[in-house]
Each structure stands twice: as structure tokens, then as C-alpha cells.
């Protein structure tokens, strides 16, 4: 199952029109990354859902839409109404019978109609109208029939859930179900959606999913803002939580093992509440202030920008933009530390033996070759000897064992001779031999890892050793990638003369992932300013930064530059660099945009030189200078002074070879290369054997 690009949550209502002013106990929706929306009635909400889902699907994005009411009834109702247990036929049954207007609907009459199919009083109860409805009791009562259960299996497992038979009053969900299923049927029919968990979700553009915000009630309460309606907070937090779930955990939540789910439906996240709550906390954590719109502005009078000057501007003006969260050690690998890690205890916590052998107090050794009586027992790792070793005595100790009181030195077992209750060894053993001091590695209170470090497996071992079980880390930086241009065709599709395959997007997406960030693929956009604006809007909602390729210069079809210019937050940096002269830098709704050249060679060079260090800083890692080393050149070259050049290169026989051509259209040179040779601005001529700076791809963090 592929990932979902857009997450929408809806808090539904079975009541009538609630008026123009946003209020509680009404309909609220939220797209992850956007503000919650109030809808005064179901008709307005369904119109908005239809339009928004349609827009997302038309843009090639896959949608998961969650609704906070049961998608099915307890087993037995469908068979009683439609003659079979298929819950989707039940959706259609309600869609054909429910009449709904902003100020009136027939849900109570339909409930009474269903009750008449059963002997006794029937399952539904609760009449919210002034007029009586035959066979629909006004209030709840003890059930006097067992034709259908009172609860679905999911509701029995979900703490605090309500049965779907109650049509009105506190906690009623019956009205929501009856007024919601017809809407779901229409969405499913219109968009070819899959209804979870009744149908497979693979390859469907829209997944309709039953949710219950109360599964993460505590997190919603923590994240609810001052004066925010609870319903609005619920859809906002739940949408953010689902959007933040890693694909494997989302897939696990969408895999239901309960056999009853096929007929009754299921609540998304049931049984995974802790995972969903952790995702919600992470997604709603406070973020640093947004970057200023003028952060990329060049100093007055600057037109051509040297590479080092441009890098200095980026380093000084950018700052981390990712929120923080606290995670268990097992989830911290590869994450960026937001706070320093301080040792909670020393390592080792007590003096211990580095070898298997025999311990004693060195100062009490006799003159000559010692022969020491052994005390009963032994000291082993994790099993400390509780007594004290008397002066002039020895005790058996094993590697890692805390030294017993009265022991400060250990002699290796290979260097002793054992007798009956005593041990002998040669004179000359030094005090403290084969002993690890307490705190020899780390002392409690020491800072063991600095903020900004990317957590490694070795770091996890160190943290565990000093008693740290949770780390405060930054959320992964999400970087959107957009390719632009009418001439681009998706690889594998038929290409007309004059068209080219989009090589940049897969390259940049992979580059982002190799650099440790989360790539967000927003596809190819034709030279259409309206569509590109919509793509930028989507990027700002889903990502922390944006990389585009193409359209970053100042021509008629350079729409990236034009849009950023219209937004009042664009600087076109004319870089003194080859390849990759134009670099458009701007802000879109507070999100930094790096407009890279369309040529793949120039795109990867500018991405490595400018974008990757900047993205690392945005991610909280700090500014990293690409790491390279000097090698003899296996080539000769004349270049213009005043321009920095980066040549595709590799190492052979200890020398730096460069690709056969500097043509920026030769993509094969990127695959041939193992890195780049960096030629400074002032270099005019290079001869074979001259020292040149070689930066491997790994030196850029790839």
C-alpha cells in the first residue's frame, strides 16, 4: 500500500444547521497542515469535501479521509434490512431513504421504520422531535430483544465508546451514523473510493476511514489552544497525527485482524493508541518562529555573488525550523538531537575488573612473590560481593565485576598458580592493575552528546550506558521536490520530439533521502503559473523546505522566479559558479524555496554546494562544511579567474580524474563520478600533478 499525500479529518454531526458563527457540537474538518474549518450544516460540509477531495485527486495526490462515526452497525442489522451482511449495501440503503435539509431531516422516522422490522421494541431509541414517532422510544431502556447486539466488537474494546442505537441526547452517535453513511456512499461512488476496512485500499485515490478522536483524548486536551473549540482541536490534532505516522506504522494500523471488522467496521488506531498519541504529540509540538521573508535578500549593490559569500549569507540567516519531540532510544537512530545529552550516572558506575582473575589490596602485599589466602565466594558482573576482603587476602573476580570493598588491584588468572584455598603470583603487580576506575569513561553530569548531532548506533550504546532512555530530538525535515517545464515527461512514458525525461526529480528525491531528510514528491508541473502556485501551496502545507528545478532564471517561462517575485520574497542569486549560475531563493508562506537550475548537472552541483548545507541547518544539525582532501590532479585545465568551478571527478591510482567533458548536459558524467573537484575562484591553470581539492559524494553528506 502506498503512502497518502493528503490527510483530511471530519467531526460530523447529525443535527440541523448551526448558523454562521463557529461553535461546538457542529461539523469541523481539517486538512493536515492547515487550519480547521467550520461548516454550518452537512450540505455545506459535503460540498466542501467533494470539492477539496476532487482537487487533491486531480493534482495526483492520494487522500485518506477520516470521519468520527461508525461505518457499520452490530452484526445482524444489515441482514435484517437488505438480506445480506454486506455493510456497503447498507450504506446504499440509507442513501436511498434519508432525506436531509439544513433545518430538517427524517432520521428519527427511519429509525422507527427499522425498529418495526423486529419483534419487541427494536434496537433504536431516542426521539428528539416534539411529535411522537411510532416504534421509536423517547428515552433509553433495558433491551428486551437479542436480534442484534448492543455493541460492535470495536466499541466493546474502545474505552468510553457509545453504541450506535442512541439517536439523540448526550453521547448519541446514532444520528451521526444515519446522516453520515449516505454522504460516504456518495463520496465512494463519485471518486471510486475504498471504504476501510471493508475493501482493499491499494491503488484507490481515496480511502474512507472511521476514526474516533477520543482515542487520543489526553493529547487533544494538551494541544487545544486558548479559545479553540474542542471539535476543531480534535480534527486538527488527529489529522496531524495521522500525517506524521511513518508508512509502516500507518499500514499496521490499517491492517485489522478482528474478523468482525469485515461486517461491522473498525476504529482506526484501536489497539495502537500509544503510537497514535506519540505521533500526535510530535506533530503538534511547538515549532521555532518562521523565517523572515527577506532572509535571502542580497546586500545592496551586490549582483554577482562569490560562492563563499553566498554560503556565509545562508549560514548567518537560516535557523532550525523543525519542532522537537522526546522519543525512546529505539526510535532515535538517525534523528537530530535538539538538546544536549547529560549522563545520569557514571560509566562505569563503580570500579570494576577488566579481566578474569583475583583481586586484593595492593598495599597489603608481602615482600617477594605473594601467596594469598582466598576468601569464600566470588565477585561477578551484576552480582556484587557484599562482604569486605580482609588485608592480605584475595578473592576470585570475573570481568566486569564491581570490585569488593578491600580490593583495588586484579591479577590476571593466566598469571597465578592456584593451591588449596590460596593463590600465588609473581611480585611486581602495580596498584590499580586491570581495574577500570568509576567514571573512567563518563562521569555523572557530563555532557556526552551535543545538540545538533545525528544519533548513531554508538550513541545509543553510550546513552544506555549512562542511564538515558529517552532523547529530545527534532522532527525530520520534510523537503518537497517539484520539477517544472512543459518539456518534461515521466520516465517510461512516450516522449515526443523535443521532450525530455524528468531526470531531476528522482535524483533530488534520492539526494534528500540520503542526506537524512524526508522527501515529499509533488510531481511535475507544466509551465502553468496557476498549477505551480497550487503546488507551492501544497508544499507549504506539507513540507519545511522546497527544492524546485527549472524556471529559476528570468525568462518568460521561468515561473518559479516569477511567482516568488510576486510573493515579494525572491532573490535571484547570480552565482560566480560553474555549472549552475542562476539560483532563485525565496519564501512561500514562510517556507524557504530553493530554485535550482533545470540542467541535471547544474542542479546536483548547486544542491550539494548550497541546498544541502542549508537544509542541514534548517533540520537543526548546524552548518556542515563539505569534507574533502587534496590529491594530485590527473588532468590539466585552464579556467577563468573569478569563478568557482566544480568538475565531476573520481579517484584512480591516488589521483583525481575528471570526466571527459565539462558539458553540463552529459548526465552520464554524474553516474561516472565519485564526487567533485573544487577549483577556487583565483585558480587560472592546473597541470597534471598539481594538488586539487576532491570532495567525495559522502563529503556532502550523501
Amino acid at each position: 500500500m502506498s503512502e497518502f499525500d493528503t490527510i483530511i479529518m471530519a467531526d460530523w454531526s447529525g443535527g440541523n444547521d448551526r448558523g454562521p458563527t463557529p461553535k461546538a457540537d457542529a461539523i469541523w474538518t481539517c486538512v493536515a497542515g492547515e487550519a480547521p474549518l467550520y461548516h454550518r450544516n452537512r450540505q455545506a460540509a459535503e460540498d466542501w469535501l467533494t470539492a477539496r477531495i476532487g482537487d487533491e485527486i486531480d493534482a495526483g495526490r492520494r487522500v485518506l479521509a477520516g470521519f468520527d462515526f461508525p461505518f457499520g452497525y452490530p452484526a445482524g442489522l444489515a441482514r435484517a434490512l437488505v438480506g445480506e451482511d454486506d455493510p456497503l449495501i447498507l450504506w446504499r440503503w440509507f442513501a436511498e431513504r434519508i432525506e436531509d435539509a439544513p433545518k430538517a431531516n427524517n432520521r428519527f422516522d427511519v429509525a422507527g421504520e427499522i425498529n418495526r422490522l423486529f419483534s419487541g421494541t427494536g434496537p433504536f431509541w431516542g426521539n428528539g422531535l416534539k411529535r411522537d414517532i411510532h416504534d421509536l422510544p423517547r428515552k433509553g431502556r433495558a433491551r428486551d430483544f437479542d436480534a442484534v447486539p448492543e455493541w460492535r466488537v470495536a466499541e466493546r474494546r474502545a474505552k468510553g465508546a457509545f453504541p450506535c442505537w442512541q439517536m439523540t441526547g448526550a453521547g448519541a452517535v446514532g444520528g451521526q451514523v444515519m446522516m453520515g453513511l449516505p454522504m460516504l456512499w456518495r463520496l465512494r461512488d463519485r471518486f471510486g473510493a475504498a471504504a476501510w476496512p471493508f475493501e482493499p485500499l491499494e491503488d484507490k485515490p481515496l480511502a474512507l476511514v472511521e476514526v474516533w478522536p477520543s482515542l487520543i483524548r489526553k493529547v487533544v486536551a494538551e494541544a487545544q489552544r486558548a479559545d479553540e473549540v474542542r471539535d476543531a482541536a480534535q480534527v486538527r490534532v488527529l489529522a496531524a497525527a495521522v500525517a506524521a505516522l511513518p508508512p509502516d506504522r500507518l499500514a499496521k494500523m490499517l491492517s485489522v485482524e478482528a474478523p468482525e471488522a469485515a461486517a461491522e467496521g473498525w476504529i482506526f488506531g484501536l489497539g495502537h493508541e500509544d503510537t497514535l498519541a506519540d505521533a500526535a504529540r510530535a506533530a503538534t509540538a511547538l515549532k521555532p518562529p518562521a523565517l523572515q521573508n527577506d532572509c535571502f535578500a542580497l546586500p545592496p549593490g551586490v549582483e554577482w555573488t562569490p560562492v563563499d559569500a553566498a554560503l556565509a549569507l545562508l549560514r548567518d540567516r537560516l535557523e532550525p525550523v523543525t519542532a522537537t519531540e522526546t522519543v525512546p532510544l529505539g526510535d532515535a537512530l538517525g534523528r537530530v538531537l535538539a538538546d544536549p545529552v547529560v549522563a545520569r550516572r557514571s560509566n562505569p558506575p563503580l570500579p570494576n575488573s577488566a579481566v578474569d582473575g583475583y583481586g586484593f589490596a595492593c598495599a597489603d602485599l608481602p615482600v617477594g612473590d605473594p601467596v594469598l589466602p582466598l576468601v569464600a565466594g566470588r565477585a561477578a558482573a551484576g552480582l556484587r560481593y557484599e562482604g569486605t576482603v580482609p588485608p592480605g587476602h584475595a578473592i576470585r573476580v570475573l570481568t566486569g565485576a564491581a570490585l569488593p570493598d578491600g580490593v583495588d588491584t586484579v591479577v590476571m588468572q593466566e598469571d597465578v598458580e592456584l593451591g588449596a584455598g590460596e593463590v600465588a603470583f609473581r611480585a611486581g603487580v602495580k596498584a590499580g592493575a586491570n581495574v577500570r576506575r568509576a567514571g573512567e569513561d563518563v562521569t555523572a553530569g557530563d555532557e556526552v552528546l551535543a545538540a545538533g548531532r545525528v544519533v548513531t548506533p554508538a550513541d545509543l550504546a553510550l546513552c544506555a550506558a549512562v542511564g538515558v532512555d529517552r532523547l529530545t530530538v527534532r522532527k525530520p525535515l520534510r523537503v518537497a521536490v517539484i520539477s517544472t517545464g512543459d518539456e518534461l515527461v515521466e520516465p517510461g512514458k512516450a516522449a515526443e520530439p523535443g521532450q525530455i525525461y524528468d531526470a531531476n526529480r528522482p535524483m533530488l528525491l534520492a539526494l534528500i533521502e540520503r542526506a537524512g531528510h524526508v522527501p515529499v514528491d509533488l510531481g511535475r508541473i507544466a509551465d502553468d503559473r496557476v498549477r505551480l502556485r497550487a503546488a507551492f501551496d501544497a508544499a507549504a502545507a506539507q513540507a519545511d523546505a522546497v527544492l524546485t528545478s527549472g524556471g529559476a532564471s528570468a525568462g518568460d517561462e521561468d515561473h518559479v522566479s516569477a511567482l516568488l517575485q510576486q510573493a515579494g520574497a525572491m532573490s535571484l542569486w547570480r552565482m560566480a559558479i560553474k555549472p549552475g549560475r542562476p539560483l532563485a531563493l525565496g519564501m512561500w508562506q514562510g517556507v524557504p524555496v530553493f530554485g535550482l537550475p533545470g540542467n541535471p548537472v547544474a542542479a546536483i552541483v548547486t544542491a550539494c554546494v548550497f541546498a544541502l548545507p542549508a537544509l542541514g541547518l534548517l533540520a537543526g544539525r548546524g552548518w556542515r562544511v563539505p569534507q574533502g582532501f587534496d590529491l594530485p590532479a590527473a588532468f590539466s585545465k585552464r579556467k577563468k579567474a573569478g569563478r568557482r568551478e566544480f568538475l565531476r571527478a573520481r579517484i584512480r591510482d591516488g589521483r583525481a580524474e575528471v570526466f571527459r567533458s565539462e558539458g553540463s548536459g552529459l548526465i552520464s558524467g554524474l553516474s561516472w563520478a565519485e564526487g567533485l573537484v573544487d577549483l577556487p575562484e583565483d585558480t587560472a591553470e592546473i597541470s597534471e600533478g598539481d594538488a586539487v581539492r576532491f570532495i567525495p559524494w559522502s563529503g556532502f553528506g550523501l
Side-chain angles (χ1 to χ4, degrees):
M1 183 187 67
S2 61
E3 297 182 47
F4 292 93
D5 306 293
T6 304
I7 307 297
I8 302 175
M9 290 294 149
D11 188 294
W12 206 244
S13 172
N16 292 334
D17 187 284
R18 298 286 286 157
T21 304
K23 52 181 63 68
D25 298 322
I27 299 176
W28 289 83
T29 60
C30 186
V31 178
E34 300 180 11
L37 296 176
Y38 165 76
H39 307 276
R40 61 184 296 169
N41 54 52
R42 286 180 296 279
Q43 290 71 31
E46 186 172 346
D47 288 346
W48 179 86
L49 285 164
T50 302
R52 182 58 187 264
I53 291 171
D55 288 346
E56 296 297 313
I57 293 175
D58 288 345
R61 293 187 284 273
R62 194 162 181 247
V63 181
L64 184 150
F67 298 85
D68 71 330
F69 55 81
F71 280 18
Y73 286 92
L77 184 70
R79 180 163 293 277
L81 294 187
V82 300
E84 56 183 293
D85 294 322
D86 186 347
L88 295 179
I89 296 180
L90 196 60
W91 287 19
R92 184 179 65 189
W93 189 92
F94 279 108
E96 292 170 347
R97 285 162 178 77
I98 288 293
E99 300 170 3
D100 195 11
K103 293 187 178 295
N105 62 76
N106 67 338
R107 70 181 188 273
F108 297 111
D109 297 283
V110 173
E113 176 188 342
I114 296 173
N115 277 350
R116 285 192 286 276
L117 299 176
F118 296 90
S119 59
T121 57
F124 288 99
W125 62 271
N127 179 6
L129 303 178
K130 292 182 179 180
R131 62 180 174 87
D132 290 334
I133 295 178
H134 184 56
D135 289 323
L136 182 64
R138 286 194 173 276
K139 296 183 178 181
R141 71 280 176 264
R143 291 165 58 90
D144 59 358
F145 74 104
D146 58 5
V148 290
E150 185 172 8
W151 304 87
R152 296 186 301 159
V153 171
E155 290 155 358
R156 289 200 297 269
R157 296 188 185 181
K159 185 178 180 181
F162 292 89
C164 53
W165 307 119
Q166 182 181 347
M167 295 297 296
T168 189
V173 297
Q176 290 176 280
V177 180
M178 206 170 284
M179 307 311 295
L181 294 184
M183 176 268 303
L184 293 182
W185 176 259
R186 290 187 287 270
L187 291 178
R188 178 179 177 273
D189 183 60
R190 182 183 184 97
F191 296 112
W196 178 83
F198 311 128
E199 300 174 297
L201 302 184
E202 287 82 358
D203 302 323
K204 296 291 185 178
L206 170 64
L208 303 172
V209 176
E210 177 185 338
V211 298
W212 192 39
S214 289
L215 286 182
I216 54 170
R217 180 187 296 107
K218 183 177 180 181
V219 185
V220 171
E222 293 170 354
Q224 186 173 353
R225 298 162 180 162
D227 301 325
E228 185 179 28
V229 173
R230 185 189 63 181
D231 307 290
Q234 288 184 158
V235 293
R236 176 177 61 81
V237 173
L238 190 55
V242 176
L245 287 169
D248 59 333
R249 296 190 181 182
L250 175 60
K252 190 172 183 180
M253 288 189 186
L254 291 171
S255 177
V256 181
E257 298 179 356
E260 299 84 358
E264 296 184 341
W266 198 255
I267 300 170
F268 173 82
L270 186 61
H272 304 274
E273 289 86 349
D274 289 345
T275 299
L276 194 59
D278 287 344
R281 287 191 177 92
T284 56
L286 290 176
K287 292 184 66 174
L291 299 171
Q292 297 297 312
N293 264 10
D294 62 352
C295 68
F296 292 128
L298 290 171
V302 172
E303 183 172 355
W304 286 96
T305 310
V307 171
D308 285 340
L311 293 174
L313 287 171
L314 291 173
R315 183 176 61 247
D316 293 342
R317 296 180 181 182
L318 296 179
E319 59 191 23
V321 298
T322 48
T324 63
E325 59 179 327
T326 301
V327 300
L329 282 186
D331 294 333
L333 182 64
R335 302 291 293 275
V336 179
L337 287 174
D339 295 332
V341 177
V342 176
R344 293 181 180 173
R345 75 173 197 167
S346 299
N347 182 51
L350 296 170
N352 68 86
S353 177
V355 298
D356 291 340
Y358 297 86
F360 47 85
C362 192
D364 297 325
L365 290 179
V367 177
D369 293 337
V371 177
L372 304 181
L374 287 171
V375 300
R378 68 174 188 171
L383 189 65
R384 192 179 185 195
Y385 184 77
E386 295 297 334
T388 299
V389 177
H393 288 65
I395 185 173
R396 173 67 166 155
V397 294
L398 302 181
T399 303
L403 298 185
D405 291 340
V407 172
D408 60 19
T409 304
V410 176
V411 60
M412 295 175 61
Q413 65 183 16
E414 295 88 343
D415 296 333
V416 305
E417 188 74 27
L418 277 176
E422 58 185 10
V423 60
F425 50 93
R426 293 286 186 182
V429 177
K430 295 181 179 180
N434 301 311
V435 168
R436 305 185 185 108
R437 302 185 310 276
E440 181 179 282
D441 181 21
V442 175
T443 302
D446 285 351
E447 179 180 311
V448 294
L449 296 173
R453 181 180 177 87
V454 179
V455 178
T456 68
D459 294 338
L460 299 180
L462 176 58
C463 290
V466 297
V468 175
D469 64 334
R470 298 178 70 83
L471 299 176
T472 300
V473 297
R474 290 194 174 275
K475 291 189 63 180
L477 188 79
R478 296 176 62 85
V479 185
V481 174
I482 303 171
S483 286
T484 67
D486 288 337
E487 74 279 11
L488 297 179
V489 180
E490 196 72 13
K493 303 289 185 181
E496 300 293 333
Q499 291 185 313
I500 59 174
Y501 291 115
D502 182 5
N504 281 351
R505 203 166 93 253
M507 176 181 70
L508 293 175
L509 289 167
L511 180 144
I512 290 165
E513 186 170 10
R514 285 290 293 270
H517 311 303
V518 177
V520 180
D521 185 1
L522 293 184
R524 293 176 297 106
I525 306 297
D527 289 323
D528 181 326
R529 207 161 292 183
V530 173
R531 290 186 60 194
L532 184 58
R533 180 185 294 274
F536 276 174
D537 288 342
Q542 300 177 55
D544 304 301
V546 183
L547 294 187
T548 70
S549 62
S553 191
D556 293 342
E557 297 298 328
D558 292 321
H559 298 293
V560 171
S561 300
L563 276 179
L564 294 175
Q565 195 70 54
Q566 289 176 11
M570 199 281 283
S571 291
L572 188 63
W573 290 16
R574 293 175 175 84
M575 306 304 307
I577 186 175
K578 178 185 177 182
R581 202 173 305 173
L583 183 64
L585 298 171
M587 302 292 293
W588 190 268
Q589 298 179 16
V591 174
V593 179
F594 297 81
L596 307 179
N599 185 293
V601 177
I604 197 170
V605 168
T606 51
C608 287
V609 175
F610 300 108
L612 286 183
L615 293 176
L617 199 157
L618 294 173
R621 301 177 184 176
W623 186 269
R624 305 290 176 88
V625 177
Q627 298 298 302
F629 45 88
D630 292 340
L631 290 173
F635 63 94
S636 58
K637 174 182 171 59
R638 293 181 62 87
K639 66 174 286 292
K640 293 180 180 179
R643 184 170 64 180
R644 188 107 160 241
E645 293 192 17
F646 290 87
L647 310 179
R648 286 155 282 177
R650 66 184 186 183
I651 302 174
R652 291 295 182 271
D653 298 325
R655 302 196 305 166
E657 294 182 352
V658 296
F659 191 56
R660 57 183 170 80
S661 170
E662 294 181 20
S664 57
L666 303 182
I667 304 175
S668 63
L670 292 176
S671 181
W672 175 93
E674 296 167 349
L676 301 174
V677 161
D678 177 3
L679 300 180
E681 285 91 344
D682 57 359
T683 301
E685 185 171 350
I686 301 98
S687 300
E688 286 195 38
D690 288 349
V692 292
R693 190 71 170 171
F694 175 77
I695 306 174
W697 297 127
S698 60
F700 293 104
L702 301 178

